[in-house]
Amino acid sequence: MIPLKLETLLKGRVVEQDRVEYKKGWNPADTIHAVCAYANDFTNMNGGYVVIGIEEDNGRPLLPPAGIDENDLDRIQNELFEYCNQIEPRYLPQLEITEHGGKKLIYLWCSAGDAGPYKAPVDIYSKKKKNGAKDEKRKEYWIKPFSVKTIAKQSELFELFEKFNAVPFDDRVSRGAKAEDIQMGHLRDFLVESNSALAEDVFSRPVADTLLSLEVANVTDVGVDIRNIGILMFSDRPEKFMPGARIELVWFHSPEEEGSDGFTEKTFTGPLFRQVKDALRYIETSVIEEKVVKVPGRAEADRYFNFPYEALEEALANACQHKSYQIPEAVEIRVYLNRIMIINYPGPAPWIDMEKFREGKAVSRRYRNRRIGEFFKEIDLAEKKSTGIKKILRTLANNGSPPPTFETDSARNSLETTIWIHEGFKTWGISRWDQILADTGNTRGGSGFTENFTENLTEKEKDLIDIILCESGITTAKMAERLGISRQTVSVRLKQLGEKGLICRTGSDTKGNWQIIREP
């Protein structure tokens, strides 16, 4: 059974158009050339799909489908098997007979092969030469660099052979991993979220069968070998096998940033798709805020966020997809008063033009982890290939936020993606900090305060002042969470600050605000 439902494929949201070929009828030569091209996977996108029985128009399916006569189904399957045997090395796609709109269709999944490069006959029908000698049926290496199948040129052949000598890390076998390292709960969660046809009987069929259907394992004489993508997506502890398979978040609560003791740390582990979702959920509930500003003379108010969720989602998914899991560094999220920085190691490949990258115009033909991107797209965690940066730019512009910055060094050791705060959130930014210090008759010192303002404060009390300056309406519960201490400890320190005449509380416990007051 093919994991991706045909209905999902037809919607065109999960799989790019150039990874799907629709054919109104059975065309053996064209189909075999497509199968061979997808098996070679020249662009490292994990192959593609062929649907026989649907006509296409500029890459899009024309519905309702034309369908295939039921009397022809067995013949076409037999011929397909016969012609695929002409591919060298031997390669067979996954095949499924399905229905859509009451019509029978043949649905093929041609995943990226791991024994190539593959070649297929130019003319699959040739039998014998006129002199009776057997024709060798000239075979060529078919590829699909864009939306058109073609025979690989000499320069492309070099790349093709090089590609098969360097299988992407996430598609390699994870040494030491066993089928027992796969958690069925995570596997089922993913299949349900991706609307996979495999979700219905995941607990009733052998786990090895499901892993093989998803192509996250290889068959061996004694069972299955789990690939890295299987461990990354469905293991409780992928960091056990790949130490860098985690997300680390640090939230700095003062303008001193790394120089301050006031920060919150969190580490997200577990299956990679859960890590991303959990980290985004934490940011959404703890960091992201919306502001509604009424405009005189206009019925509709202006609405904007300090950091738009969609931009952060895309930036984090990109970081997790494009980092190397062969190095121990985690994906980092650094939350500052005026920006959020997401760092992945290493940075973009050397051949990527950074100017085009920053404009969302860079197109990569090689992906460090092709399978992660494929899985992320199935659950709407990532955009289609080479469109993620465009989405970040578009989302920030729609929110009225400053454009992002993308920084790397000459050796491309890392990529720093920075999402800047919306100008409307003064209470978050440093401008608010300066404003409050001015209101209290102070100026910024080496530690953010003047000596007379802080001479009686401990470092822990300064951390609370930092937080109040940035978010006057914060609750004691949130203070405790950010500082990693108990609510009782926070209450004691707040009381001490109040007794020193530095802060006071106005309003109720839930809807009131903290205020910094002038020293007596």
Side-chain angles (χ1 to χ4, degrees), residues 475-490:
T475 63
T476 55
K478 278 197 172 183
M479 287 184 188
E481 181 182 354
R482 293 185 187 179
L483 294 174
I485 57 180
S486 69
R487 292 178 62 179
Q488 183 178 1
T489 302
V490 170

Side-chain angles (χ1 to χ4, degrees), residues 35 38-41 46-48 91-94 109-114 215:
V35 169
Y38 285 136
N40 278 324
D41 193 33
N46 197 34
Y91 176 91
L92 293 174
Q94 287 195 40
W109 179 22
C110 314
S111 60
D114 54 12
E215 299 215 330

Side-chain angles (χ1 to χ4, degrees), residues 139-158:
K139 296 183 178 181
E140 298 284 358
Y141 295 96
W142 295 87
I143 60 173
K144 197 170 183 181
F146 298 104
S147 58
V148 179
K149 297 184 297 293
T150 184
I151 295 172
K153 299 176 183 177
Q154 192 62 40
S155 59
E156 293 167 329
L157 275 176
F158 175 79

